[in-house]
Amino acid sequence: MRPAFPVLCSLLLLAGCATRPTAPAFEAPMLARTAIVSAADADGTPLGDPPPVRQVGKRNDVLLLSGGGSVGAFGAGVLVGWSESGTRPQFDVVTGISTGALMATLAFLGPKHDADLARAYTEITAKDVMKRRRIIGFAKKASVYDRGPLERMIETIVTEQMMDEVAAEHRKGRRLYVGTTNLDNGVATVWDMGRIASSTEPNRVQLYRRVLAASAAIPGVFAPVYISQTDGPPTMHVDGGIKQAVLFRSYMIDPRGANEHVWTIVNGHVSLVGNTALSGTNSGSIIGRSVLEMLRSIAYRSIERVYTMARNARAEYHLAYLPDDEEEPSPISFEPAALRRLFEAGRAIGAKGQWQAEPPRLERYQKMAR
């Protein structure tokens, strides 16, 4: 679930070289503005944004997909194995962060897209996702890699036809949300992807793709994505995992429901500690390890928060994550053998229904009564 942290540190050496675009980076400011789920009231209900359609007493299922880069192959495997078991429900709400955002649309549209999901996470290599920049490009774009290959892959998957499918499900009351981090104001931004897909705006597909690219824009690895919401300067959006490992809000569930289920798939280990080697003693190693530990804690607390919220709403909580005995590779390592291993590990969990009822390593008073 972690970005390439040494890259973040090395970027400090070139601070100030990159510049913000002076012209709007995307010409759909009104659509972008209305697609962002607005401020919420005290109980978390969005203001001016219709929440998912909830039918009290009817079974409602919420799926949360975490970040994790290439380790998303694990989550893809869970979904495919789950479909094969014949027990995978139709989700009323799907949310995604980073690589979870990339797979969220396919998960939202159901098992008919499982083959696409499997191909996207088992048949790719690094060159299908990114291209290393030269030093000048590194300085100008504030990133080590060019995400052009990733954007082309998103273009192949996210088509006009797919937008129509998402829009049709949105009109039924189902919801698809993606999270980015707005670095300008520090806000964990929630995008209603169904609202974008349902728009008559001619640039709806381009904005949809752009939000997905933004959610996966690991700082330092990929350049930020600029999205115009007004006629002024565009805002800077990066990986949603910087603020939250998984995206979950109170309005996504109804505490009055008697059959609410929250399913969380974590593309990586779930732990507060996990280093097996001593840290280096140079400044880059120390900063990198420190950032890693901070984000590891954010990820664990995010997962724990979802557990607490779900149980407080009297919902059933289900968690799947990469087992401790499975190696977790770098999120920017796209080795086919490792991807297939991760996919099969997830597939086995999904097929067997090996869901956990609570996060691991909870202290006594962190546990919620069932």
Side-chain angles (χ1 to χ4, degrees), residues 1 62-67 74-75 78-79 82 91 95 245-248 261-267 270 299 302-307 310 316-322 349 354-356 359:
M1 295 177 63
V62 180
L63 174 66
L64 316 178
L65 300 166
S66 85
F74 168 78
V78 172
L79 289 167
W82 199 356
F91 304 110
T95 79
V246 286
L247 172 57
F248 187 53
H261 294 260
V262 177
W263 308 86
T264 302
I265 298 178
V266 179
N267 293 302
V270 176
S302 294
I303 294 160
E304 181 187 3
R305 173 178 173 272
V306 172
Y307 162 73
E316 293 293 325
Y317 175 85
H318 314 273
L319 174 67
Y321 56 90
L322 187 67
I349 288 174
Q354 295 174 324
W355 298 89
Q356 306 302 311

Side-chain angles (χ1 to χ4, degrees), residues 16-22 139-142 226 236:
C17 295
T19 59
R20 181 184 297 267
T22 56
K140 289 184 176 180
K141 298 295 184 179
Y226 293 92
M236 180 189 295

Side-chain angles (χ1 to χ4, degrees), residues 211-361:
V211 172
L212 294 183
S215 187
I218 302 171
V221 177
F222 296 130
V225 174
Y226 293 92
I227 301 177
S228 293
Q229 300 166 44
T230 67
D231 293 333
T235 54
M236 180 189 295
H237 291 263
V238 298
D239 193 328
I242 299 302
K243 298 287 286 190
Q244 53 195 344
V246 286
L247 172 57
F248 187 53
R249 297 289 185 273
S250 293
Y251 57 81
M252 298 175 185
I253 195 169
D254 192 331
R256 300 171 298 168
N259 201 358
E260 302 277 319
H261 294 260
V262 177
W263 308 86
T264 302
I265 298 178
V266 179
N267 293 302
H269 295 149
V270 176
S271 62
L272 283 171
V273 296
N275 297 313
T276 57
L278 296 175
S279 173
T281 57
N282 59 65
S283 58
S285 295
I286 293 171
I287 294 172
R289 180 63 69 88
S290 298
V291 173
L292 167 61
E293 292 308 318
M294 285 190 291
L295 291 186
R296 192 199 304 275
S297 295
I298 290 172
Y300 187 87
R301 297 308 179 198
S302 294
I303 294 160
E304 181 187 3
R305 173 178 173 272
V306 172
Y307 162 73
T308 302
M309 291 173 67
R311 298 304 300 131
N312 276 332
R314 300 191 299 278
E316 293 293 325
Y317 175 85
H318 314 273
L319 174 67
Y321 56 90
L322 187 67
D324 291 345
D325 58 359
E326 289 283 350
E327 181 184 354
E328 181 180 357
S330 163
I332 61 172
S333 174
F334 292 87
E335 295 294 332
L339 295 179
R340 288 192 292 271
R341 174 180 58 79
L342 291 166
F343 182 85
E344 291 303 327
R347 189 177 193 169
I349 288 174
K352 296 175 183 177
Q354 295 174 324
W355 298 89
Q356 306 302 311
E358 61 186 29
R361 306 173 185 87

Side-chain angles (χ1 to χ4, degrees), residues 58-134:
K58 169 187 171 293
R59 175 175 174 133
N60 290 291
D61 292 274
V62 180
L63 174 66
L64 316 178
L65 300 166
S66 85
S70 63
V71 192
F74 168 78
V78 172
L79 289 167
V80 171
W82 199 356
S83 297
E84 292 170 346
S85 74
T87 60
R88 176 175 160 183
Q90 180 185 72
F91 304 110
D92 298 274
V93 177
V94 176
T95 79
I97 293 287
S98 195
T99 196
L102 299 180
M103 70 174 70
T105 301
L106 297 175
F108 181 73
L109 294 177
K112 65 182 180 180
H113 286 285
D114 279 359
D116 297 324
L117 193 60
R119 281 193 296 271
Y121 280 95
T122 63
E123 298 181 8
I124 61 172
T125 62
K127 68 179 182 180
D128 298 310
V129 179
M130 55 196 176
K131 179 180 179 182
R132 182 175 287 276
R133 296 186 188 278
R134 296 180 182 274

